[in-house]
Amino acid sequence: MSSSAEVPFYPMERSAACPLDLPPQLREIARDRPVSRVRIWDGSQAWLITGYDEARELLTDPRVSSDQSRPGYTFAAPQAKVFHNRNRSMPTMDDPEHAVLRRMVAGDFTNKKMEALRPKFQEQVDELIDEMLASGNRADLFSQLAVPMSSKAICAILGVHNEEGVRFAALGKTMASPASTNEDHVKAVEGMRALLRSLVVQSKTEPGDGVIGHLVGAGELPDDEIVATALLLMAAGHGATAHMTTLGTMALLANPDQLALIRDSRDPAFIANAVEELLRYLSVAHLGRRRVAIEDIDVGGVLIRAGEGIIVATDTANHDPHAFEGDPDELDLRRNACHHFAFGFGVHQCLGQQLSRVLLQVVYGTLYRRIPTLALAVAVEQLSYKLGLAIYGVNELPVTW
Amino acid sequence: MRIRLDRERCIGSGQCALAAPEWFDQDADGIAVVLAEDVPDQEAEPVRQAVFTCPARAISLDSD
């Protein structure tokens, strides 16, 4: 075992000049070793998996656990430890418990159901862009388009309508806002939980048409677990797609030839492929998928012992030149990237992935066509980033046109 | 070539229906359904992609 002085600290810092690129030190490690040791915030060490094949192997290995109560599990941050100890939910369960819960909600996220929502999402995105355009020639793309778009979409899936939708949006905004203190954030989460609880109670007498209504109707879960599941979907639905929208816009503005391709395309298949490449390139879940070994496992010629923590750096695996043609550090909307790990891999792969795909296809396919002169309103160096949270993103994205 | 699907392992990710819509669909619970089991060699590419992108490793494509 190496001494702690030689073991690099994870997560590594990104370069300020190239904020969308993988951290330089991480790229170096990935180039040399698909499996290596890192130190994390609590002083402990974990295995960092950066290779595509190794990530694929471990994320589907039943000897690898997602159960955060197991000793050796590597939390991304102290807050994550506190939050998750109070909120056991799907991502922290192993099969067969996980499979039972996942199967209860999978039917609400099928490709066909998400596709059927496309016209509604198109209408909502168009309305938000109308409002942006009506407000002048400058807007914050994060709070005025990306967050409300995601919020409206997840409300539709959960079965949250009208007045509750407005309260939901306000709480979601506080949860996502860079101006919110930790206290504000906790309060907003509690407010969200209370609102979801009231919806669960309401669904018992007035069956709803979304996930909450279905879970209540199925009668298989206690109220607390329905609330926890809905809260998880709400939090997951809010963040990742919103940040993909803003970071994707930054990536496209930095690559005008690629932006022109998506702006001028009327081909849904091209836009769908472009979304996969943006998902791969940006991989907004930037702190890795956290796991713990429950048996000794040999991977990439390295022995991971039972009880040792594992961080599967899916963002780095998505830039593995063995897995993607051409130069994976370049954005190339024509690349076949559909085997990326932006939604994870294995049984915990993102439940809402198809929702996210449809939304991103709608927003990328609409925004630059409707606002062809879209540009950043500030220099890239002036943007500030969310770093400590599971999803990478900008706190705001001022744009002009 | 013959498609084999383990519906017990399927998590309803929909990757197969996305990669090879001619060969896979999802039922009302999101679980994968094979539309036709026998795949001519020259049409196997999308099915191979579905096998590769299935996160639950629930699909295989076997030689007859």
Side-chain angles (χ1 to χ4, degrees):
Chain A
M1 187 75 48
S2 344
S3 74
S4 64
E6 297 160 10
V7 178
F9 186 81
Y10 181 89
M12 286 90 180
E13 264 179 55
R14 290 181 190 247
S15 143
C18 308
L20 300 184
D21 288 353
L22 295 174
Q25 195 192 0
L26 183 59
R27 276 163 77 156
E28 228 168 87
I29 289 174
R31 200 179 49 220
D32 299 340
R33 284 166 295 165
V35 180
S36 63
R37 289 296 266 178
V38 287
R39 268 182 309 129
I40 60 166
W41 62 274
D42 62 359
S44 67
Q45 293 193 10
W47 291 103
L48 181 71
I49 317 302
T50 53
Y52 183 88
D53 291 341
E54 292 78 6
R56 199 180 144 83
E57 221 174 296
L58 281 180
L59 288 173
T60 51
D61 193 322
R63 296 170 297 174
V64 173
S65 169
S66 295
D67 184 349
Q68 302 187 335
S69 62
R70 286 181 184 271
Y73 183 92
T74 52
F75 287 93
Q79 300 91 308
K81 196 168 181 172
V82 172
F83 185 76
H84 283 292
N85 282 343
R86 292 188 315 168
N87 295 273
R88 235 173 86 71
S89 62
M90 244 183 296
T92 73
M93 293 172 184
D94 289 330
D95 283 345
E97 193 186 13
H98 158 266
V100 171
L101 192 50
R102 172 133 186 166
R103 282 189 171 222
M104 281 187 206
V105 284
D108 285 311
F109 291 88
T110 62
N111 298 3
K112 279 182 183 154
K113 282 201 175 160
M114 298 306 103
E115 205 48 57
L117 287 167
R118 187 185 290 265
K120 186 185 180 107
F121 294 158
Q122 181 68 56
E123 206 176 289
Q124 291 173 340
V125 164
D126 274 318
E127 275 172 22
L128 289 166
I129 294 175
D130 286 342
E131 284 168 25
M132 258 174 60
L133 289 170
S135 72
N137 69 339
R138 193 185 159 108
D140 169 21
L141 202 70
F142 183 65
S143 65
Q144 289 178 254
L145 177 64
V147 172
M149 169 191 89
S150 311
S151 177
K152 281 169 193 276
I154 198 71
C155 280
I157 307 279
L158 287 178
V160 178
H161 303 291
N162 312 324
E163 325 83 74
E164 286 115 358
V166 176
R167 285 173 60 202
F168 241 110
L171 292 166
K173 204 170 173 182
T174 309
M175 284 169 69
S177 167
S180 304
T181 61
N182 274 352
E183 211 172 54
D184 293 338
H185 186 85
V186 170
K187 256 192 191 163
V189 172
E190 289 312 320
M192 196 73 99
R193 201 191 299 273
L195 189 50
L196 289 167
R197 188 174 297 282
S198 72
L199 288 170
V200 168
V201 172
Q202 196 185 321
S203 289
K204 290 182 181 173
T205 47
E206 303 161 42
D209 54 358
V211 174
I212 294 175
H214 295 163
L215 287 177
V216 170
E220 291 174 39
L221 284 183
D223 290 4
D224 276 358
E225 279 199 45
I226 299 178
V227 171
T229 303
L231 189 66
L232 166 79
L233 300 178
M234 192 70 217
H238 247 105
T241 307
H243 289 301
M244 266 303 300
T245 303
T246 40
L247 292 189
T249 297
M250 286 174 64
L252 290 165
L253 289 172
N255 293 276
D257 55 327
Q258 301 293 311
L259 177 60
L261 290 177
I262 204 166
R263 185 192 58 217
D264 300 338
S265 176
R266 292 291 181 278
D267 175 8
F270 176 80
I271 292 178
N273 190 69
V275 165
E276 299 309 307
E277 168 66 355
L278 283 155
L279 284 161
R280 178 203 70 79
Y281 178 76
L282 294 164
S283 301
V284 295
H286 71 137
L287 297 180
R289 264 70 177 183
R290 308 292 172 128
R291 300 287 189 271
V292 59
I294 51 177
E295 286 177 39
D296 291 358
I297 303 168
D298 209 323
V299 64
V302 173
L303 179 68
I304 297 180
R305 292 191 184 279
E308 289 181 333
I310 300 171
I311 301 168
V312 183
T314 39
D315 55 344
T316 316
N318 275 342
H319 285 248
D320 184 338
H322 300 298
F324 298 95
E325 281 176 19
D327 177 359
D329 291 333
E330 297 282 320
L331 178 68
D332 176 0
L333 300 184
R334 294 193 180 99
R335 189 197 318 270
N336 175 7
C338 63
H339 52 297
H340 65 73
F341 294 150
F343 293 116
F345 199 66
V347 296
H348 291 286
Q349 192 181 50
C350 178
L351 176 70
Q353 57 179 294
Q354 202 52 29
L355 165 62
S356 188
R357 282 195 175 94
V358 173
L359 267 181
L360 292 171
Q361 289 164 11
V362 167
V363 74
Y364 290 141
T366 308
L367 179 62
Y368 319 113
R369 178 169 49 78
R370 291 208 48 202
I371 317 183
T373 57
L374 191 80
L376 289 188
V378 298
V380 170
E381 296 75 35
Q382 283 174 270
L383 297 171
S384 66
Y385 298 85
K386 284 186 198 297
L387 293 172
L389 300 179
I391 305 295
Y392 183 56
V394 278
N395 290 320
E396 52 176 357
L397 190 68
V399 291
T400 181
W401 52 86
Chain B
M1 311 284 279
R2 181 171 284 263
I3 299 174
R4 292 191 199 283
L5 165 70
D6 183 345
R7 282 175 51 93
E8 290 303 308
R9 293 185 74 149
C10 176
I11 56 163
S13 76
Q15 294 281 288
C16 55
L18 209 59
E22 309 281 318
W23 303 95
F24 297 95
D25 196 357
Q26 290 172 283
D27 68 15
D29 296 325
I31 302 305
V33 177
V34 178
L35 297 174
E37 282 183 349
D38 294 313
V39 185
D41 279 5
Q42 64 274 18
E43 293 175 49
E45 196 38 47
V47 181
R48 284 201 187 92
Q49 192 181 311
V51 170
F52 191 73
T53 56
C54 172
R57 291 188 162 169
I59 312 168
S60 60
L61 185 61
D62 303 337
S63 303
D64 289 318

